[in-house]
Structure formats: C-alpha cells, structure tokens
Amino acid sequence: GNVCCPKINLKTSNVKHKLRSVFGDYKLHLGVDCTVTTCHMCAVLKHSNLPLYLYRDRQGRWVAGPEIGAVRGSLRGGQSEDPGLGMDCPCQATMWQCYDNNGKMITLSG
C-alpha cells in the first residue's frame, strides 16, 4: 500500500494534551538509499522536528511512536466501524486513540 498523502498533519484542539509533542507535521521518510522506508507494506512518515514515526502496524492501524514497527506507540489511528481494517494512508483513520495514565486505551476527541 502506498500512502496517498506525502505529508500529514496530526492535530488536536486540546492545547494542553499530554501528548502534544506527538502532534504536528509528518512527511515521507527516506532511508539512506533515498527510497521510502516501509513497515508492513506501507510507507513510513517521519515527524518534522522529533524522532517520531507514523507507520502501519500488523493489524492495519496507524501508530505514531519513536520506533518503527513497535506494537505500541503514543497514538493509534483506525476506523471506528472496523478498527482492524487495513488502511493505506493515515488520512483514512476516522478515530485516534492513546493510552491514559492507567495504561488503558482511550479514544481522543478533537
């Protein structure tokens, strides 16, 4: 799967969100050989200012985190009607989730 968007902006209306550093611009991540880095057959995007990546996990959800391919990241994007549906691009995610202070996955609003 190829992402349809070479640049993605993750944002929230909550300016005090505990994960505010994860939000921002992500663009296609090129490896040392100038080819697009992939994870689970989809392109990886890299945060414009931080060592964070946006990649697709084995279940087809999009994950934002510091390690490409890690099972758990800071944010996880999926589709509300079928969270495990494989999406080729993070722009197709209809909901995003993060872990609360107790380690429970919660759905973000805004």
Side-chain angles (χ1 to χ4, degrees):
N2 294 317
V3 296
C4 58
C5 304
K7 184 177 178 182
I8 296 285
N9 179 273
L10 293 181
K11 60 185 175 181
T12 178
S13 59
N14 182 353
V15 295
K16 295 182 179 183
H17 196 283
K18 68 177 183 169
L19 296 174
R20 64 186 165 273
S21 64
V22 175
F23 296 98
D25 291 328
Y26 287 79
K27 61 183 180 179
L28 286 177
H29 179 52
L30 301 179
V32 292
D33 58 355
C34 293
T35 60
V36 175
T37 304
T38 61
C39 182
H40 298 292
M41 299 185 298
C42 270
V44 172
L45 295 103
K46 184 181 182 307
H47 194 281
S48 59
N49 299 319
L50 300 170
L52 295 171
Y53 303 91
L54 194 54
Y55 56 89
R56 192 166 79 169
D57 70 8
R58 281 181 293 203
Q59 287 78 34
R61 296 176 299 234
W62 284 87
V63 177
E67 183 182 341
I68 297 170
V71 174
R72 184 172 169 169
S74 301
L75 290 176
R76 181 173 77 186
Q79 294 188 334
S80 54
E81 60 278 1
D82 187 357
L85 180 66
M87 298 165 290
D88 288 337
C89 188
C91 74
Q92 297 167 336
T94 57
M95 71 171 188
W96 289 87
Q97 299 173 309
C98 69
Y99 291 96
D100 67 10
N101 293 333
N102 298 318
K104 181 180 178 188
M105 185 63 68
I106 57 169
T107 299
L108 300 173
S109 59

